[in-house]
Amino acid sequence: MSQLNFGERYFATRERISQVIKGISELARDTSTDLGHSLAHRAVEKDLGAPFLFVVCGEVNAGKSSLINGLFGRELCKVNILPETDRVIWYRYGATPRDLATRSSLEERYRPIEFLRDFNLVDTPGTNSIVSGHQEITERFLPVADLILFVFPVTNPWGGATWNLISKLPKECHARVVFIIQQADQREDADIRVITEHMADLSMKRLGIVPQIFAVSGKMALEAKRAGAFAEREFTRSGFPALQEYISRRVCDSPERRAALHTWNNNASAALHKIEDGIETQTRVLNDQNHFLASLEDEIDAMRERLVGRLSQHLAGVAEVFQTEAVWVTRSL
């Protein structure tokens, strides 16, 4: 429960394909096969290693930070009664913790936390924030996000600023939207059902669709994850199991990610066929060279046999000459 395991099936498949590509690249080097850029390491890392991007939106004190902390089981974002996030904060993986203000309203926070290798988080200021530039930066992240989590406080899920932002979403973003009703532990189940129905009606009017809606308590989820296996009941009550299962399915079923896996699987297959063709060509060349060497050996053997045959005749004549000369020398002596 305490471990982050979103999309295990996807990441296992990605790891297998990455290992296959690495092996094919090594085989290409060993066989001197030029694969060009078909399995370029940087391209593989860019497509297969790119982390999932979650963007969290909502009004000030809607519970965005508590939601993020509950999802990842640690206090990554500070929770405060006063507005804590005064700029867009992009959480990314980094071996050394550091904060980098790339713009006046955007800050990149690098942390040595393993799940940030595969999941990046964008925590946004409140949708009702009046600080200049926040809305612009937020809207830039939305089109490239894998999942857009709109957080509503259970005490007031009708905040106009958030619904106005939702209404302005490009149509291609609609399928990636999820509604989160935070602090659900403060209301009875019957109240939550009424709120959910009203939100679905309003969403149909604003978007023309009804996204997935989850009622959760980020605070309860964080406490349960910290407590471990003994807090399974509290974790279930937090509403997070259903939310995490949904996120996991979205990770595994992401059309863009599946397309990337399919593309690199095809690239790996094509590269392997090219290596096989190269090996077959080299094998034919070696076979031809072996046939040529074999024919040379046969010709040399034939020449040796002919030479040996002629030598026996020449040696007989030489013996006769030596014998004649020996007789003459004997007489002379």
Side-chain angles (χ1 to χ4, degrees):
M1 177 186 65
S2 61
Q3 299 298 319
L4 184 71
N5 57 1
F6 297 153
E8 285 183 315
R9 179 165 50 86
Y10 164 80
F11 290 114
T13 302
R14 187 185 72 175
E15 180 63 22
R16 287 198 297 270
I17 291 180
S18 297
Q19 291 300 320
V20 168
I21 290 175
K22 181 180 178 181
I24 292 174
S25 298
E26 292 175 354
L27 181 60
R29 287 194 296 271
D30 294 341
T31 58
S32 301
T33 304
D34 183 12
L35 298 179
H37 300 291
S38 61
L39 294 183
H41 178 72
R42 288 185 179 180
V44 175
E45 283 295 313
K46 181 180 178 181
D47 279 0
L48 297 185
F52 283 80
L53 180 62
F54 293 168
V55 176
V56 183
C57 303
E59 293 193 356
V60 173
N61 291 328
K64 300 187 298 295
S65 297
S66 295
L67 172 70
I68 293 173
N69 294 340
L71 278 174
F72 297 101
R74 64 177 67 202
E75 198 165 343
L76 186 66
C77 308
K78 292 183 180 179
V79 178
N80 202 323
I81 297 176
L82 297 175
E84 181 64 35
T85 305
D86 60 355
R87 64 179 66 191
V88 175
I89 300 178
W90 186 2
Y91 291 94
R92 312 175 69 179
Y93 178 82
T96 304
R98 62 191 177 99
D99 298 341
L100 180 63
T102 54
R103 302 188 186 188
S104 60
S105 54
L106 174 63
E107 179 179 315
E108 297 181 20
R109 292 185 182 178
Y110 295 86
R111 299 291 184 267
I113 302 173
E114 281 303 310
F115 66 74
L116 289 177
R117 291 182 184 272
D118 295 318
F119 298 96
N120 280 188
L121 292 166
V122 173
D123 189 12
T124 64
T127 50
N128 52 341
S129 172
I130 60 174
V131 180
S132 175
H134 287 177
Q135 195 71 10
E136 177 188 357
I137 296 295
T138 301
E139 290 175 354
R140 287 185 180 181
F141 277 105
L142 297 182
V144 296
D146 289 284
L147 211 56
I148 308 169
L149 306 176
F150 282 99
V151 182
F152 302 87
V154 72
T155 54
N156 180 26
W158 322 116
T162 301
W163 283 102
N164 288 339
L165 177 58
I166 292 172
S167 300
K168 292 190 293 184
L169 283 176
K171 201 166 186 177
E172 57 270 20
C173 293
H174 291 181
R176 292 179 271 125
V177 169
V178 178
F179 289 169
I180 308 294
I181 303 173
Q182 253 282 46
Q183 303 145 1
D185 55 311
Q186 299 180 14
R187 291 290 186 273
E188 298 295 331
D189 291 344
D191 296 332
I192 296 296
R193 284 194 293 271
V194 171
I195 292 173
T196 301
E197 291 172 0
H198 282 306
M199 289 182 65
D201 292 339
L202 185 55
S203 177
M204 182 60 71
K205 295 174 181 176
R206 294 288 189 115
L207 288 179
I209 63 168
V210 178
Q212 289 287 327
I213 303 176
F214 297 93
V216 302
S217 171
K219 181 181 178 181
M220 288 183 63
L222 177 60
E223 292 174 352
K225 287 186 176 182
R226 283 177 168 175
F230 296 102
E232 190 70 39
R233 181 178 177 184
E234 287 72 15
F235 182 65
T236 301
R237 288 179 55 210
S238 74
F240 268 65
L243 174 60
Q244 293 188 172
E245 175 61 27
Y246 174 78
I247 293 175
S248 187
R249 289 199 308 271
R250 289 298 301 266
V251 169
C252 293
D253 298 336
S254 167
E256 296 82 6
R257 306 294 173 140
R258 291 171 66 90
L261 291 176
H262 185 68
T263 296
W264 285 108
N265 181 63
N266 290 341
N267 289 351
S269 179
L272 189 58
H273 284 310
K274 187 174 183 179
I275 293 174
E276 290 175 346
D277 291 342
I279 292 174
E280 289 181 1
T281 300
Q282 293 178 10
T283 301
R284 286 196 298 270
V285 171
L286 288 174
N287 288 337
D288 292 342
Q289 292 176 346
N290 288 335
H291 288 315
F292 175 70
L293 291 175
S295 65
L296 284 179
E297 289 178 356
D298 292 341
E299 186 173 346
I300 290 172
D301 289 341
M303 292 174 61
R304 184 184 297 113
E305 291 178 359
R306 291 195 297 271
L307 180 60
V308 169
R310 288 197 294 270
L311 277 176
S312 61
Q313 298 174 1
H314 289 304
L315 290 175
V318 169
E320 185 178 347
V321 170
F322 270 104
Q323 185 177 3
T324 303
E325 291 298 320
V327 172
W328 179 82
V329 170
T330 301
R331 291 175 179 173
S332 297
L333 290 174

